[in-house]
Amino acid sequence: MKSLMESIPNFSEGRRSEVIAAIVDAARSIPEVRVLDLHSDADHNRSVLTLAGPGEALQDSLFRAIATASELIDLRTHQGEHPRIGATDVVPFVPLGETAMADAVSAAHSLGRRVSAELGIPVYFYEEAATTPDRRNLEAIRRKGFEELRDSIVTDEERVPDVGPRMLHPSAGATVVGARGPLIAYNVYLNTEDVRIAKEIARAIRHSSGGLRYVKALGMEIPARKQTQVSMNLTNYRRSAMHTVFEMIKRMAASHGVQIVESEVVGLTPMQVLTDAAQFYLQLHGLKLDQILEAKLMEES
Amino acid sequence: MKSLMESIPNFSEGRRSEVIAAIVDAARSIPEVRVLDLHSDADHNRSVLTLAGPGEALQDSLFRAIATASELIDLRTHQGEHPRIGATDVVPFVPLGETAMADAVSAAHSLGRRVSAELGIPVYFYEEAATTPDRRNLEAIRRKGFEELRDSIVTDEERVPDVGPRMLHPSAGATVVGARGPLIAYNVYLNTEDVRIAKEIARAIRHSSGGLRYVKALGMEIPARKQTQVSMNLTNYRRSAMHTVFEMIKRMAASHGVQIVESEVVGLTPMQVLTDAAQFYLQLHGLKLDQILEAKLMEES
């Protein structure tokens, strides 16, 4: 499929089911877009949708969902634990298959311009779509949320939005739109109950303490299985590959006489994570994506 | 996608491009069916199409292609090296994704009944769709081809068709319809010029001389690369897996001090071959097909 992308928009409503349903219906009203998942959290008072489709259709679907959220959610009366600045809080675009990151960045910019122009909502661009390095990090934009941004967007030069008015939409606030690689939740189980070993491996594998650039990791006890786990987020599977992570953990575990019982993906993973691993282990160095029948079918549809 | 299947129909025309184009256009006239590949061979005077789509749409597409072939190809004047009994000679259905073999068998039987009833062409069922064990093998049905079958279909009890008249269609002959697993052309390159090693490994890995049940293999010289190759067909990748084949060859090569340089897939492979390998090597024992984003997208489309 041409320019296939995923988007995981976050809305500041996790309690009123009729509002959540209206947003999902709006997103679903573009036929080429699939709603793959919906997760609503009442404590956070927040819902996360997973959508996929061709870039332009996905923008239309997101625009309708954002417009619906701006009509039905009022940040002035919204309460919830999670920090947020808008009725539609964050909208990341994720390129899938052979879609380039540059296409996801274009989609983010184009949607942001439309949201600001047609709905009067100020928009900030983050991660790969950021216009300055200090806006790459989502938290640097969101900071203390709606109540704080209401004043500082007017007074603080650092908080001028990338597009749209230099004031919050009265009820819908502001929205952060961006582009990033797919995030994969990946866990490896070890046949030891000694959590010190899992923690030592987590420290060695994660970026923050000297490991692989695109890996976050924690060592955890899993008493129900009498095992331990290295629990990870892989934030760029093309650069820090799942099979590289697996082989490093296997080697480090072996130096303690420990073995990997199994590994697991939580939620969804792009096909390419697995085909990259198959290529590595089977030494299939010449394999092209369009030799995979299902990928070829999607391309041509 | 529901009941996704592939079909690789063989037509007895590889020279007249307008006839080939008419058959391809007929197959393509069902919107849900994709034409993935066309290979025409002038010496064999034969064309092989690769089609994919949902089972019912695929049957409609094949029926139109078979009807067109029966109008435009006359076996009485057809010449070519390849043995053949019909204008449409062989039509295998191959289940893809989570589609069951039983569904491919049903599709074969249903298409065969329609071809015999509406076009007056006798049909034989082969491989998984065979009605008796002696018709599983395609060559046991095709034997010496059209000219021989014209008499023996009438005189020989063993050659009564599974459905349709007990006489050949005057110009279009008979057709063999069946169901089988996907066939994968898979080669492994060795860093030795000693073809005896490749031949020894081929003998050990292939079914016919004591190896894996669903593997055909030959050892070959590849002088241009100063290497040798174990050249294979994998006829059931769920039972004799690519990663099992790879690991056996790797182990046998090592006992000669030889290593695998790379392996290659020629043409198309189902995604599951690669995800099976990734599951094996990464010990992803709990992974489900619908955790793969692209597979989930196809399911829901």
Side-chain angles (χ1 to χ4, degrees):
Chain A
M1 199 184 284
K2 278 171 208 144
S3 75
L4 185 66
M5 296 179 199
E6 186 187 26
S7 183
I8 309 99
N10 289 229
F11 300 96
S12 296
E13 179 58 64
R15 293 170 190 168
R16 293 178 297 162
S17 56
E18 71 284 5
V19 172
I20 298 166
I23 293 170
V24 173
D25 287 347
R28 213 195 293 273
S29 68
I30 302 291
E32 285 173 281
V33 172
R34 312 276 158 227
V35 177
L36 297 180
D37 193 50
L38 164 67
H39 181 78
S40 294
D41 185 312
D43 291 333
H44 287 173
N45 197 7
R46 189 175 179 86
S47 292
V48 179
L49 263 178
T50 305
L51 308 174
E56 299 215 348
L58 194 56
Q59 285 179 53
D60 290 339
S61 161
L62 286 162
F63 182 81
R64 291 189 185 181
I66 293 167
T68 303
S70 78
E71 286 163 20
L72 302 178
I73 299 172
D74 190 336
L75 266 275
R76 290 168 294 196
T77 57
H78 175 272
Q79 292 192 312
E81 287 172 37
H82 202 286
R84 78 285 179 274
I85 60 172
T88 303
D89 195 45
V90 190
V91 183
F93 284 86
V94 177
L96 296 180
E98 299 202 273
T99 303
M101 179 59 79
D103 294 335
V105 170
S106 296
H109 288 165
S110 158
L111 177 68
R113 283 191 298 268
R114 186 169 171 203
V115 165
S116 63
E118 298 184 31
L119 304 176
I121 297 172
V123 171
Y124 298 88
F125 296 128
Y126 83 116
E127 289 222 5
E128 299 295 325
T131 54
T132 58
D134 55 304
R135 285 198 179 159
R136 289 188 68 89
N137 185 345
L138 176 61
E139 295 318 317
I141 298 169
R142 197 155 49 190
R143 298 194 196 172
K144 289 178 186 161
F146 176 78
E147 292 75 8
E148 182 237 347
L149 185 59
R150 192 154 44 182
D151 298 326
S152 59
I153 191 172
V154 181
T155 58
D156 186 346
E157 287 305 316
E158 277 184 17
R159 311 207 72 185
V160 177
D162 285 299
V163 287
R166 195 174 168 181
M167 58 181 292
L168 290 188
H169 183 285
S171 56
T175 294
V176 191
V177 181
R180 61 165 173 80
L183 187 147
I184 302 158
Y186 182 57
N187 301 324
V188 171
Y189 291 90
L190 304 176
N191 70 346
T192 176
E193 292 186 76
D194 184 350
V195 77
R196 289 171 304 177
I197 295 173
K199 285 179 187 294
E200 182 188 313
I201 291 174
R203 274 193 301 274
I205 199 95
R206 74 186 170 216
H207 179 242
S208 65
S209 46
L212 296 166
R213 174 70 185 86
Y214 297 103
V215 176
K216 298 174 183 180
L218 288 173
M220 297 170 69
E221 293 178 355
I222 309 288
R225 295 177 62 141
K226 300 192 174 180
Q227 295 170 0
T228 48
Q229 184 190 80
V230 184
S231 175
M232 291 168 283
N233 275 326
L234 310 184
T235 60
N236 184 335
Y237 69 89
R238 301 312 306 266
R239 302 283 177 85
S240 300
M242 188 181 283
H243 54 267
T244 307
V245 169
F246 179 86
E247 289 297 321
M248 278 184 66
I249 293 176
K250 188 174 175 178
R251 186 65 197 84
M252 290 186 279
S255 91
H256 293 279
V258 167
Q259 286 190 302
I260 291 174
V261 180
E262 66 174 319
S263 76
E264 75 180 357
V265 170
V266 180
L268 295 172
T269 173
M271 178 175 68
Q272 203 158 18
V273 173
L274 303 173
T275 57
D276 283 352
Q279 279 198 266
F280 171 78
Y281 288 109
L282 297 173
Q283 300 175 217
L284 281 166
H285 302 306
L287 189 78
K288 295 191 174 56
L289 200 62
D290 72 357
Q291 289 184 264
I292 302 169
L293 208 138
E294 287 82 353
K296 198 174 165 74
L297 279 173
M298 292 190 76
E299 247 177 44
E300 311 213 342
S301 65
Chain B
M1 199 184 284
K2 276 172 206 141
S3 77
L4 185 66
M5 296 179 199
E6 184 188 25
S7 183
I8 309 98
N10 289 228
F11 300 95
S12 296
E13 179 58 64
R15 294 171 190 167
R16 293 178 296 162
S17 57
E18 71 284 4
V19 172
I20 298 166
I23 293 169
V24 173
D25 286 348
R28 213 195 293 271
S29 68
I30 302 291
E32 285 173 281
V33 172
R34 312 273 161 233
V35 177
L36 297 181
D37 193 51
L38 164 67
H39 181 78
S40 294
D41 185 313
D43 291 332
H44 287 174
N45 198 5
R46 190 176 178 87
S47 293
V48 180
L49 262 178
T50 305
L51 307 174
E56 299 215 348
L58 195 55
Q59 286 178 53
D60 290 339
S61 162
L62 286 162
F63 181 80
R64 291 190 184 180
I66 294 167
T68 302
S70 78
E71 286 164 20
L72 302 179
I73 299 172
D74 190 335
L75 265 276
R76 291 168 294 195
T77 57
H78 174 272
Q79 291 192 311
E81 286 173 37
H82 201 287
R84 77 285 178 273
I85 61 172
T88 303
D89 195 47
V90 191
V91 183
F93 283 87
V94 175
L96 296 180
E98 299 203 273
T99 303
M101 179 60 78
D103 294 334
V105 169
S106 297
H109 288 165
S110 159
L111 177 67
R113 284 192 298 270
R114 188 170 169 201
V115 165
S116 63
E118 297 185 31
L119 304 176
I121 297 172
V123 171
Y124 298 88
F125 295 127
Y126 84 115
E127 288 223 6
E128 299 296 325
T131 54
T132 58
D134 56 306
R135 288 200 177 158
R136 288 187 70 88
N137 185 345
L138 176 61
E139 296 317 316
I141 297 169
R142 199 155 49 187
R143 297 195 197 172
K144 291 177 185 161
F146 176 76
E147 291 75 8
E148 183 237 346
L149 184 58
R150 192 154 45 182
D151 297 328
S152 60
I153 192 173
V154 182
T155 57
D156 186 346
E157 288 304 316
E158 278 184 15
R159 311 206 72 184
V160 177
D162 286 299
V163 286
R166 194 174 169 180
M167 57 182 293
L168 291 189
H169 183 284
S171 56
T175 296
V176 192
V177 181
R180 60 165 172 80
L183 187 147
I184 301 157
Y186 182 56
N187 301 324
V188 172
Y189 290 90
L190 305 177
N191 69 345
T192 176
E193 292 187 74
D194 185 350
V195 76
R196 289 172 304 176
I197 295 172
K199 284 180 186 294
E200 183 187 313
I201 291 174
R203 274 194 300 275
I205 200 95
R206 74 186 170 218
H207 179 242
S208 64
S209 47
L212 295 166
R213 174 70 186 88
Y214 297 104
V215 176
K216 298 173 183 181
L218 287 174
M220 297 170 70
E221 294 176 354
I222 309 288
R225 295 177 62 141
K226 298 192 176 182
Q227 296 172 358
T228 48
Q229 185 190 78
V230 184
S231 174
M232 292 168 283
N233 275 326
L234 310 183
T235 60
N236 184 333
Y237 69 88
R238 301 313 305 267
R239 302 284 176 84
S240 300
M242 188 181 284
H243 54 267
T244 308
V245 168
F246 179 87
E247 289 297 321
M248 277 183 66
I249 293 176
K250 188 176 176 177
R251 187 65 196 83
M252 290 188 279
S255 91
H256 293 280
V258 167
Q259 285 190 302
I260 292 174
V261 180
E262 66 172 320
S263 78
E264 75 179 358
V265 170
V266 181
L268 294 172
T269 173
M271 177 175 67
Q272 202 157 20
V273 172
L274 302 174
T275 56
D276 283 353
Q279 279 199 266
F280 172 77
Y281 288 109
L282 297 174
Q283 301 176 215
L284 281 166
H285 302 306
L287 189 78
K288 294 192 175 58
L289 199 61
D290 72 357
Q291 288 185 265
I292 302 170
L293 208 139
E294 287 83 353
K296 198 174 166 75
L297 279 174
M298 292 190 74
E299 249 178 41
E300 309 212 342
S301 65

